[in-house]
Amino acid sequence: MDKLKLIPESIIRLSFRLSVWFIEQFYQMKIYEDKVDKLRQLKQGTLGREIAECLDKHNLRLVPGYESHDLKHVLLGFNMNPVDEIRLQAFMLGNGNVTLPSITIFLFGFVLLPYKWRSFYKDFIQGRNTIPVKHCSIEQYGEKDLNSLKQDIIKKEIVLQPIFSMQRFANMGGLLAVFLGGAGMLYCLPFLFSPVLEDLVGAGFPFVGGAILFAAGLISLSIQSNRNNKVISEIAS
């Protein structure tokens, strides 16, 4: 059974490596290597220094355009492996970072790692009960003490919502709409390139329906995310 679990994790790892390699082809990586060199020179225990050491430990580099992603791994305590990568996305969705990349990555891991669903749910709830961190940047927090940051940002919690509530129902409905809409679009996509008119018509309408469902789910999640951020900001102040 454990060996079977290695297959989806390997797929996720390979997918991320290919994605990172593709992104790197469009950037001058020397700039980002120099940035990591500067982080290595920071004091021991600072967030920037910990990011550099974490990258060195896993033989990784800063990903252009996604520098804050590595920051969140270190700040939130998620390891740089396939399972924790999906856990981080579950946390960030709960934390209000409802973006297409986050949803896509999470759904990818959600489908491949069903034995981690309980863990993903806990991470999602933890994200909901944590001060928003999606705008944290290395430039802003790199020189700050990591432990102090965790106490100031991560440890401020709001009261857990009841198990059954309209807001939670709306969130789960939004996630379900995004998942079903995306799955429907992917299923219909190959038929849209068919030379047979019946296939085009038969797949076209479900594809549009899936797109509407996907967009509606995103809008619902965005609205709920904005409401959560307002509540958390009021409590934090």
Side-chain angles (χ1 to χ4, degrees):
M1 184 65 181
D2 291 336
K3 292 183 177 180
L4 291 177
K5 293 180 179 180
L6 294 177
I7 297 176
E9 293 181 18
S10 298
I11 294 174
I12 295 174
R13 183 183 294 107
L14 178 60
S15 299
F16 279 117
R17 287 180 178 176
L18 289 175
S19 299
V20 170
W21 175 85
F22 181 78
I23 293 173
E24 290 179 348
Q25 306 312 303
F26 299 92
Y27 291 86
Q28 293 291 334
M29 293 306 300
K30 182 66 166 58
I31 298 175
Y32 298 90
E33 292 170 359
D34 292 341
K35 183 178 291 190
V36 176
D37 285 338
K38 293 181 180 179
L39 296 179
R40 294 190 184 100
Q41 298 172 13
L42 295 177
K43 293 181 180 179
Q44 191 73 36
T46 59
L47 176 59
R49 177 69 175 270
E50 293 294 329
I51 292 173
E53 292 181 354
C54 185
L55 291 172
D56 292 339
K57 177 181 178 181
H58 293 88
N59 194 28
L60 298 172
R61 298 189 293 184
L62 281 179
V63 180
Y66 293 87
E67 297 95 323
S68 63
H69 179 79
D70 296 318
L71 177 151
K72 295 179 181 69
H73 268 285
V74 175
L75 183 61
L76 301 174
F78 290 103
N79 295 320
M80 292 185 176
N81 58 48
V83 173
D84 274 30
E85 185 63 53
I86 308 304
R87 290 184 58 201
L88 173 59
Q89 298 306 325
F91 179 98
M92 293 307 300
L93 287 174
N95 197 239
N97 187 45
V98 185
T99 63
L100 184 58
S102 291
I103 293 174
T104 302
I105 294 172
F106 173 72
L107 291 179
F108 184 56
F110 185 85
V111 172
L112 290 176
L113 304 172
Y115 58 91
K116 286 293 181 180
W117 286 356
R118 182 182 294 272
S119 177
F120 296 156
Y121 176 73
K122 291 181 179 179
D123 294 321
F124 178 82
I125 295 301
Q126 183 183 358
R128 286 174 59 86
N129 295 332
T130 302
I131 297 299
V133 298
K134 60 182 178 180
H135 296 303
C136 293
S137 65
I138 294 177
E139 290 75 15
Q140 182 180 10
Y141 292 106
E143 297 183 6
K144 296 185 180 296
D145 181 76
L146 176 58
N147 291 329
S148 298
L149 278 175
K150 287 183 177 181
Q151 293 176 3
D152 294 340
I153 298 178
I154 308 304
K155 297 303 180 181
K156 293 181 180 179
E157 298 185 348
I158 62 176
V159 179
L160 281 172
Q161 295 182 354
I163 294 178
F164 297 102
S165 68
M166 286 304 297
Q167 187 173 9
R168 179 162 296 179
F169 179 79
N171 280 328
M172 296 304 296
L175 287 172
L176 184 61
V178 169
F179 177 75
L180 293 178
M185 291 170 66
L186 290 175
Y187 178 79
C188 295
L189 186 60
F191 296 98
L192 297 179
F193 298 94
S194 173
V196 181
L197 181 60
E198 289 79 0
D199 289 343
L200 292 175
V201 175
F205 287 105
F207 183 87
V208 173
I212 295 174
L213 190 63
F214 186 87
L218 281 180
I219 293 172
S220 175
L221 290 173
S222 298
I223 293 173
Q224 294 301 320
S225 174
N226 290 333
R227 289 178 179 175
N228 292 340
N229 288 343
K230 289 180 179 179
V231 172
I232 294 174
S233 299
E234 291 175 359
I235 295 176
S237 60

